[in-house]
Every structure is written in C-alpha cells, then in structure tokens.
Amino acid sequence: MFCCAFLVLFLALGNELHLSHATEVSVNNTENKLCLYANLMVNFSVTYEVGVNKSETALFVLPENVTTEGSTCNDTTSTLQLGFGDGHSWAVKFTKDTKTYQVDAIVFTYNLNDSSVFPNSTSNETKSVMVKPTITNVGVDTYYSCKSKVLLKVESVTQTLYDVALQAFVTNGSKSDTDTVCAADLPTTTVAPNTTVTTTAAPTSTPTPTLPTPTTGNYSIAPDFNSTACLMATFGLRIGYKQGDKVETINLVPNATNVGGACGVNSSDLILTSNTITIMFTFSNDSKMFHLHALNITVKPATGAPVVAANTNMSVWVAAVGSSYMCNKEQTLNVTDTLTLYTFALRVQPFGVKKGEFATAHECSLDDTSILIPIIVGAALACLILIVVIAYVIAVECFMDSDLSFLVPIAVGVALGFLIILVLISYLIGRRKSRTGYQSV
Ligand SMILES: *[C@@H]1O[C@H](CO)[C@@H](O)[C@H](O)[C@H]1NC(C)=O
Ligand SMILES: *[C@@H]1O[C@H](CO)[C@@H](O)[C@H](O)[C@H]1NC(C)=O
Ligand SMILES: *[C@@H]1O[C@H](CO)[C@@H](O)[C@H](O)[C@H]1NC(C)=O
Ligand SMILES: *[C@@H]1O[C@H](CO)[C@@H](O)[C@H](O)[C@H]1NC(C)=O
Ligand SMILES: *[C@@H]1O[C@H](CO)[C@@H](O)[C@H](O)[C@H]1NC(C)=O
Ligand SMILES: *[C@@H]1O[C@H](CO)[C@@H](O)[C@H](O)[C@H]1NC(C)=O
Ligand SMILES: *[C@@H]1O[C@H](CO)[C@@H](O)[C@H](O)[C@H]1NC(C)=O
Ligand SMILES: *[C@@H]1O[C@H](CO)[C@@H](O)[C@H](O)[C@H]1NC(C)=O
Ligand SMILES: *[C@@H]1O[C@H](CO)[C@@H](O)[C@H](O)[C@H]1NC(C)=O
Ligand SMILES: *[C@@H]1O[C@H](CO)[C@@H](O)[C@H](O)[C@H]1NC(C)=O
Ligand SMILES: *[C@@H]1O[C@H](CO)[C@@H](O)[C@H](O)[C@H]1NC(C)=O
Ligand SMILES: *[C@@H]1O[C@H](CO)[C@@H](O)[C@H](O)[C@H]1NC(C)=O
C-alpha cells in the first residue's frame, strides 16, 4: 500500500564536535516505523540573473532545520522530501528491486522570490532542476555512505553532497549498521580497466586496438518525479583529445556517470558528469526540426591540465521534432581542433518524448545510404544478369537453327538495355529512400 509517511524532524543537537551543520532526518511509515533515514550535507551554488547581462551566484547550504512533509515510503518506492526556507525543497527518489536499491533522481527546487537567498533577482519564479546521481546498487538493509564530495551540476546550479549517510527501505524499524560505501571513498585501487588483451588467432599487426567500444548508456531527464522522461538518449561515447602532440582517447563509463539536464521549449540540455568527463549537450528546437546545437566538454586527464572544448555553432543530429535521431554506426564529431567526439549506437530525442519511449527514428546517412543502396543495386544486378542469361538461352534454343538467327544479337542487346535501365531505376529509388529519411515524419 501507498503509505504517506509521518515524519520526524530531528534537530541535530548542537553537537559541538561536528564542525558543520549536518542535516539529519528520519521518516516513519504509516505503521510508525522508521523507513527512511538521512544524515548529510549539501551545499548549493545557484547563478541567477540580477539585470540585463548581469548575474549573481548565491551560495547556501541545506539547513539543519528542514521539514519532511511530502516524504513517502512503500515497499518499492520512497521519496525523501526536504523543505526549507521560503519555498525551497530538495527531494530524493529511491526505488528498490530484490537485493538492491538506488536513487533514481534528485530534484532541487528553489524560489527566486526569496530575496534573503536571491537578492535583486529579476525573476520571482520557482525553478527545479533534476539530477541522477550514481547512487546505485546499495544493498537492501545497508545504508549508503559517502564522505567524499560529489558535485552535481545542472545548468546554473551546482549541488555538492558530502558526508552522506542515506538509508531507504529500512527494515525492522531501525537503521542498519552496515554500509555500502561509494566508489569515491574506497582506497584508490586504480579504476583503470584491466587491459589484458586476449590475443586469439594469429597476431595481426593492427596498430590501433586502443580502447574497447564504449558501453552504451541510457540517459533520460524528466521534469519531476511524477513525470515520464522529456529527453531521452542512448549511446556509447568516446572522446579523443590532444594533449601536447599526443592524441589520447577516453571512454565514458555509463554506470559511473551522473546525469543532469533540463527540458525547455526551444532548448534542452543533457549534462553527463563522471570523474574524468563533463559533457553538456544543448539541443535546439526551431519548431519543425531539432538539432544538436552546442557541446561543452571538459576532460580531466590523469596527468596534466584539464582539456576544455566548446562549440556553440553545431548543426548535427537533425530530425523532425516528435521523432528521434538514430545512428548505429560510429559517428565522428569534430568539436574543436583539439577534441573529437565519437558516438556509438546513438539514439536521441531531446523534445516531445511521450510515455518514456523513443518515437520513430530518423537514421543517419551513415546507416541508411551505405546499407540500403548497395543492397538494392546488388539485388537488381543479380536479377538482371539472370534475365540476360535466360534471354540468351531462349534465343539460342529457339532461333539458332532457323533463319531468325540474326535475332540473337538483338535479343541480347534488348536485354542489356533493360538491365541498364533497371539498374538506373533502382539506384534512383535507393537515393530517394535515403533522402526521405530526413524529411518525412
Ligand atoms: C509505491 O508507490 C508508487 C508511487 O509512489 C506506486 O507506483 C507503487 O505502485 C507503490 N507500490 C506499492 C507496492 O504499493
Ligand atoms: C518513528 O519510528 C521509530 C521506530 O521505528 C520510533 O522510535 C519513533 O518514536 C517514531 N517517531 C515518531 C514521531 O513516532
Ligand atoms: C559548504 O559551505 C560551507 C559554508 O559556506 C563551507 O564552510 C563548506 O566548506 C562548504 N563545503 C564544501 C564541501 O564545499
Ligand atoms: C548583453 O550581452 C549581449 C551579448 O554579449 C550584447 O550583445 C548586449 O549588447 C548586452 N546588453 C547589454 C544591455 O549590455
Ligand atoms: C525550525 O523550523 C521551524 C518551522 O519552520 C521553526 O518553528 C523553528 O523555530 C526552527 N528551529 C530552528 C532551530 O531554527
Ligand atoms: C541590490 O540592488 C541594490 C540597488 O538596486 C544595491 O544597492 C544592492 O547592493 C544590491 N544587492 C546585491 C546583493 O547585489
Ligand atoms: C512575479 O513578477 C511578476 C512581474 O515581474 C508579477 O506580475 C507577479 O505578481 C510576481 N509574482 C509574485 C508571486 O511575486
Ligand atoms: C587483471 O588481470 C589479471 C590477470 O588476468 C588478474 O590477475 C587481475 O586480478 C585482474 N585485475 C582486475 C582488477 O580485474
Ligand atoms: C507528485 O504528485 C503528487 C500527487 O499527485 C503530489 O502530491 C506531489 O507533490 C508531486 N510531486 C512532485 C515532485 O511534483
Ligand atoms: C559498472 O559496470 C562494470 C561492467 O560493465 C562493472 O564491472 C562494474 O562493477 C559496474 N560498476 C558499478 C558501480 O556498478
Ligand atoms: C563550458 O563549461 C565551462 C565549465 O562549466 C564554462 O566555464 C564555460 O563558460 C562553458 N563554455 C561555453 C562556451 O558555454
Ligand atoms: C575531422 O577532422 C579530421 C582531421 O582534422 C578530418 O580528417 C575529418 O574529415 C573531420 N571530420 C569531419 C566529420 O569533419
């Protein structure tokens, strides 16, 4: 049953030993048993407009004193809803399967009308941003523990989480003593992939077996917990960047990637953040068609300065609004002279997603023309060669002995003409097909 929770509000008891102000809360379920527990610190940095071309950045923390109204617990879904100040809130949604639970998303809502936090704001709106942190695979009946700082950036908002202890789906009404420690807190056993290359057959001298194909990740953004996705994307991603004279490559690891972003009417953003890569995709919507308009990428190599590349003048991944763009083949995007993006098994829909599903796909020319045309032309050629052979055999059989033997070359000529015409037609059909791929809905 859906239980609306009864909430207790703990004021951390001015413990002088704790330098800062952790926020500690507990949520009880309808049976008045503890079902959600949190003890954490969150710092917010919000950039907001104070005039034409002028912005300020507000820095504030999640206070000790919060309300938990709106928090809910049931067997598979729990929401921790912390309200604070004048209309601000910070909410975390958890879901559970049999052995583990995870955070699906965090929604931070801030009220620009609160002049104590946002002085001189030109807007008085309440805004929300959603992020999907990598708080996954937390063992049931354990709490998630992460002392390290985790930065979650979306648009003009940065949330820094640290000293986090979080337990959802508490069993038996008491907090667990066992924790699931986040990767960032684990002693640094290098996360580098085990590059034992298994050479099977004859050692072919391929000089480029650098990285495996990147894992395909599924990324989506929803405006709030109650809504289905408004932006969806799946792809594997590799980045090639120049460091000095050398070209390095790095893959994005989906299950170590925080997802953020926001859907707008004319523009939507997807922001992916891992320890080494931050990438922001900005999609534009000109009412009929959408395209990838801007990319802003930061790569933090193990050694050396971060590599930053931004291009705000792109026009790729074009498709009709209401459809999705797809490219299964590896696709190369030159972002700047020093940075190149490679995508694999790409499918994106930045606008008009319905029911959390991709709409009809418009395939990229790489997929379309390169596969369809050779198949069509090849099939047509095979057909026609067969026709010519048959025509020739018939001609020989029927007319060779008669006075009409002069017809044999004519028949062969006619068949050849046919062949050429059919090849042309099939070629044109192939061309048309690949072109309408971009135009029809
Ligand atoms: C738990 O709540 C969610 C929505 O909050 C609902 O979709 C789901 O069916 C509920 N599950 C159970 C077991 O009641
Ligand atoms: C919440 O539940 C715990 C036990 O799970 C209990 O000790 C505590 O008193 C409850 N809080 C309230 C406000 O009832
Ligand atoms: C969070 O903000 C507080 C107060 O501004 C500051 O003392 C603290 O160092 C910040 N913590 C982090 C991790 O940024
Ligand atoms: C605001 O910035 C834009 C672009 O940087 C500039 O074209 C415009 O003149 C600026 N407006 C004012 C009032 O400064
Ligand atoms: C906590 O918040 C409540 C309601 O907003 C308020 O009445 C109370 O004084 C606050 N306590 C502290 C210590 O700030
Ligand atoms: C807000 O604007 C007033 C005047 O318009 C100015 O005096 C004040 O310094 C501004 N405050 C901030 C925090 O920018
Ligand atoms: C927000 O601002 C608009 C105009 O700037 C004003 O009409 C409206 O009343 C304001 N709303 C609130 C809640 O202050
Ligand atoms: C890497 O491979 C070696 C040899 O195959 C193995 O002994 C080692 O445990 C592997 N390390 C990791 C982290 O998987
Ligand atoms: C989700 O929907 C419920 C009921 O429809 C509402 O009470 C709650 O505030 C909504 N939550 C958000 C984050 O919009
Ligand atoms: C991420 O995926 C890899 C394999 O794809 C797996 O070995 C690793 O344990 C996963 N990490 C997490 C934190 O789930
Ligand atoms: C790219 O992102 C960085 C870091 O967030 C920011 O400082 C920079 O202004 C961005 N560049 C563009 C062109 O948006
Ligand atoms: C990207 O740049 C490389 C080298 O500068 C060039 O060979 C390649 O054609 C470019 N690709 C695209 C799609 O522009």
Side-chain angles (χ1 to χ4, degrees), residues 6-10 26-29 31-35 172-174:
F6 283 48
L7 222 288
V8 200
L9 187 142
F10 279 68
S26 301
V27 175
N28 282 7
N29 61 18
E31 289 151 11
N32 204 20
K33 283 201 169 165
L34 181 71
C35 66
N172 302 325
S174 57

PDB file of all heavy atoms in Angstrom, residues 6-10 26-29 31-35 172-174, ligand 2:
ATOM      1  N   PHE A   6       4.849   9.627   8.028  1.00  0.00           N
ATOM      2  CA  PHE A   6       4.764  10.524   9.149  1.00  0.00           C
ATOM      3  C   PHE A   6       6.171  10.903   9.466  1.00  0.00           C
ATOM      4  O   PHE A   6       7.038  10.066   9.528  1.00  0.00           O
ATOM      5  CB  PHE A   6       4.188   9.786  10.328  1.00  0.00           C
ATOM      6  CG  PHE A   6       2.736   9.616  10.211  1.00  0.00           C
ATOM      7  CD1 PHE A   6       2.159   9.144   9.046  1.00  0.00           C
ATOM      8  CD2 PHE A   6       1.916   9.959  11.271  1.00  0.00           C
ATOM      9  CE1 PHE A   6       0.819   8.996   8.937  1.00  0.00           C
ATOM     10  CE2 PHE A   6       0.564   9.803  11.170  1.00  0.00           C
ATOM     11  CZ  PHE A   6       0.006   9.313  10.018  1.00  0.00           C
ATOM     12  N   LEU A   7       6.388  12.074   9.620  1.00  0.00           N
ATOM     13  CA  LEU A   7       7.761  12.455   9.677  1.00  0.00           C
ATOM     14  C   LEU A   7       8.233  13.067  10.942  1.00  0.00           C
ATOM     15  O   LEU A   7       7.532  13.812  11.585  1.00  0.00           O
ATOM     16  CB  LEU A   7       8.054  13.402   8.559  1.00  0.00           C
ATOM     17  CG  LEU A   7       9.342  12.895   8.116  1.00  0.00           C
ATOM     18  CD1 LEU A   7      10.337  13.279   9.169  1.00  0.00           C
ATOM     19  CD2 LEU A   7       9.233  11.354   8.147  1.00  0.00           C
ATOM     20  N   VAL A   8       9.380  12.705  11.282  1.00  0.00           N
ATOM     21  CA  VAL A   8      10.000  13.242  12.461  1.00  0.00           C
ATOM     22  C   VAL A   8      11.065  14.188  11.990  1.00  0.00           C
ATOM     23  O   VAL A   8      11.653  13.990  10.968  1.00  0.00           O
ATOM     24  CB  VAL A   8      10.689  12.159  13.247  1.00  0.00           C
ATOM     25  CG1 VAL A   8      10.904  12.600  14.655  1.00  0.00           C
ATOM     26  CG2 VAL A   8       9.903  10.909  13.121  1.00  0.00           C
ATOM     27  N   LEU A   9      11.316  15.146  12.799  1.00  0.00           N
ATOM     28  CA  LEU A   9      12.242  16.147  12.363  1.00  0.00           C
ATOM     29  C   LEU A   9      13.281  16.270  13.439  1.00  0.00           C
ATOM     30  O   LEU A   9      12.989  16.646  14.548  1.00  0.00           O
ATOM     31  CB  LEU A   9      11.405  17.385  12.182  1.00  0.00           C
ATOM     32  CG  LEU A   9      12.032  18.564  11.593  1.00  0.00           C
ATOM     33  CD1 LEU A   9      11.004  19.199  10.712  1.00  0.00           C
ATOM     34  CD2 LEU A   9      12.443  19.493  12.634  1.00  0.00           C
ATOM     35  N   PHE A  10      14.442  15.861  13.113  1.00  0.00           N
ATOM     36  CA  PHE A  10      15.497  15.882  14.109  1.00  0.00           C
ATOM     37  C   PHE A  10      16.282  17.171  13.995  1.00  0.00           C
ATOM     38  O   PHE A  10      16.812  17.479  12.954  1.00  0.00           O
ATOM     39  CB  PHE A  10      16.473  14.754  13.830  1.00  0.00           C
ATOM     40  CG  PHE A  10      16.027  13.438  14.340  1.00  0.00           C
ATOM     41  CD1 PHE A  10      14.944  12.806  13.772  1.00  0.00           C
ATOM     42  CD2 PHE A  10      16.702  12.823  15.379  1.00  0.00           C
ATOM     43  CE1 PHE A  10      14.534  11.582  14.232  1.00  0.00           C
ATOM     44  CE2 PHE A  10      16.291  11.598  15.825  1.00  0.00           C
ATOM     45  CZ  PHE A  10      15.209  10.971  15.257  1.00  0.00           C
ATOM     46  N   SER A  26      14.583  11.619   9.814  1.00  0.00           N
ATOM     47  CA  SER A  26      14.039  10.269   9.762  1.00  0.00           C
ATOM     48  C   SER A  26      12.602  10.364   9.308  1.00  0.00           C
ATOM     49  O   SER A  26      11.913  11.322   9.630  1.00  0.00           O
ATOM     50  CB  SER A  26      14.059   9.626  11.138  1.00  0.00           C
ATOM     51  OG  SER A  26      15.365   9.576  11.633  1.00  0.00           O
ATOM     52  N   VAL A  27      12.171   9.379   8.582  1.00  0.00           N
ATOM     53  CA  VAL A  27      10.783   9.334   8.124  1.00  0.00           C
ATOM     54  C   VAL A  27      10.190   8.024   8.615  1.00  0.00           C
ATOM     55  O   VAL A  27      10.800   6.965   8.450  1.00  0.00           O
ATOM     56  CB  VAL A  27      10.701   9.392   6.580  1.00  0.00           C
ATOM     57  CG1 VAL A  27       9.269   9.227   6.099  1.00  0.00           C
ATOM     58  CG2 VAL A  27      11.293  10.692   6.064  1.00  0.00           C
ATOM     59  N   ASN A  28       9.027   8.106   9.227  1.00  0.00           N
ATOM     60  CA  ASN A  28       8.329   6.886   9.636  1.00  0.00           C
ATOM     61  C   ASN A  28       7.213   6.580   8.647  1.00  0.00           C
ATOM     62  O   ASN A  28       6.634   7.484   8.045  1.00  0.00           O
ATOM     63  CB  ASN A  28       7.719   7.066  11.024  1.00  0.00           C
ATOM     64  CG  ASN A  28       8.769   6.929  12.138  1.00  0.00           C
ATOM     65  OD1 ASN A  28       9.963   6.825  11.853  1.00  0.00           O
ATOM     66  ND2 ASN A  28       8.309   6.935  13.375  1.00  0.00           N
ATOM     67  N   ASN A  29       6.919   5.310   8.492  1.00  0.00           N
ATOM     68  CA  ASN A  29       5.820   4.940   7.578  1.00  0.00           C
ATOM     69  C   ASN A  29       4.492   4.960   8.327  1.00  0.00           C
ATOM     70  O   ASN A  29       4.428   5.375   9.483  1.00  0.00           O
ATOM     71  CB  ASN A  29       6.106   3.581   6.939  1.00  0.00           C
ATOM     72  CG  ASN A  29       6.206   2.465   7.964  1.00  0.00           C
ATOM     73  OD1 ASN A  29       5.758   2.618   9.096  1.00  0.00           O
ATOM     74  ND2 ASN A  29       6.787   1.358   7.571  1.00  0.00           N
ATOM     75  N   GLU A  31       2.861   2.694   9.591  1.00  0.00           N
ATOM     76  CA  GLU A  31       2.852   1.876  10.809  1.00  0.00           C
ATOM     77  C   GLU A  31       3.747   2.487  11.884  1.00  0.00           C
ATOM     78  O   GLU A  31       4.081   1.827  12.876  1.00  0.00           O
ATOM     79  CB  GLU A  31       3.326   0.453  10.476  1.00  0.00           C
ATOM     80  CG  GLU A  31       2.287  -0.306   9.666  1.00  0.00           C
ATOM     81  CD  GLU A  31       2.915  -1.346   8.745  1.00  0.00           C
ATOM     82  OE1 GLU A  31       4.132  -1.617   8.880  1.00  0.00           O
ATOM     83  OE2 GLU A  31       2.199  -1.860   7.891  1.00  0.00           O
ATOM     84  N   ASN A  32       4.166   3.711  11.606  1.00  0.00           N
ATOM     85  CA  ASN A  32       5.037   4.446  12.523  1.00  0.00           C
ATOM     86  C   ASN A  32       6.359   3.734  12.788  1.00  0.00           C
ATOM     87  O   ASN A  32       6.864   3.715  13.902  1.00  0.00           O
ATOM     88  CB  ASN A  32       4.305   4.764  13.833  1.00  0.00           C
ATOM     89  CG  ASN A  32       4.938   5.968  14.517  1.00  0.00           C
ATOM     90  OD1 ASN A  32       5.635   6.752  13.869  1.00  0.00           O
ATOM     91  ND2 ASN A  32       4.711   6.100  15.804  1.00  0.00           N
ATOM     92  N   LYS A  33       6.862   3.115  11.775  1.00  0.00           N
ATOM     93  CA  LYS A  33       8.197   2.518  11.871  1.00  0.00           C
ATOM     94  C   LYS A  33       9.126   3.290  10.949  1.00  0.00           C
ATOM     95  O   LYS A  33       8.723   3.727   9.865  1.00  0.00           O
ATOM     96  CB  LYS A  33       8.154   1.055  11.426  1.00  0.00           C
ATOM     97  CG  LYS A  33       7.565   0.146  12.461  1.00  0.00           C
ATOM     98  CD  LYS A  33       8.017  -1.278  12.188  1.00  0.00           C
ATOM     99  CE  LYS A  33       7.685  -2.208  13.333  1.00  0.00           C
ATOM    100  NZ  LYS A  33       7.798  -3.612  12.905  1.00  0.00           N
ATOM    101  N   LEU A  34      10.383   3.387  11.378  1.00  0.00           N
ATOM    102  CA  LEU A  34      11.360   4.110  10.577  1.00  0.00           C
ATOM    103  C   LEU A  34      11.481   3.469   9.188  1.00  0.00           C
ATOM    104  O   LEU A  34      11.639   2.249   9.068  1.00  0.00           O
ATOM    105  CB  LEU A  34      12.726   4.050  11.270  1.00  0.00           C
ATOM    106  CG  LEU A  34      13.861   4.783  10.562  1.00  0.00           C
ATOM    107  CD1 LEU A  34      13.673   6.278  10.664  1.00  0.00           C
ATOM    108  CD2 LEU A  34      15.214   4.376  11.146  1.00  0.00           C
ATOM    109  N   CYS A  35      11.393   4.269   8.126  1.00  0.00           N
ATOM    110  CA  CYS A  35      11.530   3.707   6.781  1.00  0.00           C
ATOM    111  C   CYS A  35      12.578   4.432   5.948  1.00  0.00           C
ATOM    112  O   CYS A  35      13.063   3.893   4.958  1.00  0.00           O
ATOM    113  CB  CYS A  35      10.183   3.687   6.060  1.00  0.00           C
ATOM    114  SG  CYS A  35       9.532   5.321   5.699  1.00  0.00           S
ATOM    115  N   ASN A 172      12.627  -3.535   9.728  1.00  0.00           N
ATOM    116  CA  ASN A 172      12.504  -3.704  11.187  1.00  0.00           C
ATOM    117  C   ASN A 172      12.564  -2.399  11.975  1.00  0.00           C
ATOM    118  O   ASN A 172      12.843  -2.407  13.164  1.00  0.00           O
ATOM    119  CB  ASN A 172      13.590  -4.651  11.724  1.00  0.00           C
ATOM    120  CG  ASN A 172      13.536  -6.005  11.071  1.00  0.00           C
ATOM    121  OD1 ASN A 172      12.441  -6.484  10.751  1.00  0.00           O
ATOM    122  ND2 ASN A 172      14.688  -6.609  10.862  1.00  0.00           N
ATOM    123  N   GLY A 173      12.343  -1.299  11.296  1.00  0.00           N
ATOM    124  CA  GLY A 173      12.249  -0.039  12.013  1.00  0.00           C
ATOM    125  C   GLY A 173      13.534   0.487  12.611  1.00  0.00           C
ATOM    126  O   GLY A 173      13.513   1.427  13.387  1.00  0.00           O
ATOM    127  N   SER A 174      14.676  -0.099  12.260  1.00  0.00           N
ATOM    128  CA  SER A 174      15.906   0.520  12.766  1.00  0.00           C
ATOM    129  C   SER A 174      16.972   0.584  11.682  1.00  0.00           C
ATOM    130  O   SER A 174      17.096  -0.312  10.847  1.00  0.00           O
ATOM    131  CB  SER A 174      16.426  -0.215  14.004  1.00  0.00           C
ATOM    132  OG  SER A 174      16.647  -1.564  13.705  1.00  0.00           O
TER     133      SER A 174
HETATM  134  C1  LIG B   2       9.401   6.590  14.379  1.00  0.00           C
HETATM  135  O1  LIG B   2       9.688   5.226  14.497  1.00  0.00           O
HETATM  136  C2  LIG B   2      10.638   4.904  15.499  1.00  0.00           C
HETATM  137  C3  LIG B   2      10.827   3.413  15.469  1.00  0.00           C
HETATM  138  O2  LIG B   2      10.933   2.940  14.195  1.00  0.00           O
HETATM  139  C4  LIG B   2      10.122   5.351  16.863  1.00  0.00           C
HETATM  140  O3  LIG B   2      11.100   5.089  17.855  1.00  0.00           O
HETATM  141  C5  LIG B   2       9.838   6.814  16.828  1.00  0.00           C
HETATM  142  O4  LIG B   2       9.266   7.229  18.034  1.00  0.00           O
HETATM  143  C6  LIG B   2       8.880   7.124  15.675  1.00  0.00           C
HETATM  144  N1  LIG B   2       8.702   8.543  15.623  1.00  0.00           N
HETATM  145  C7  LIG B   2       7.541   9.131  15.867  1.00  0.00           C
HETATM  146  C8  LIG B   2       7.483  10.622  15.749  1.00  0.00           C
HETATM  147  O5  LIG B   2       6.561   8.483  16.143  1.00  0.00           O
END
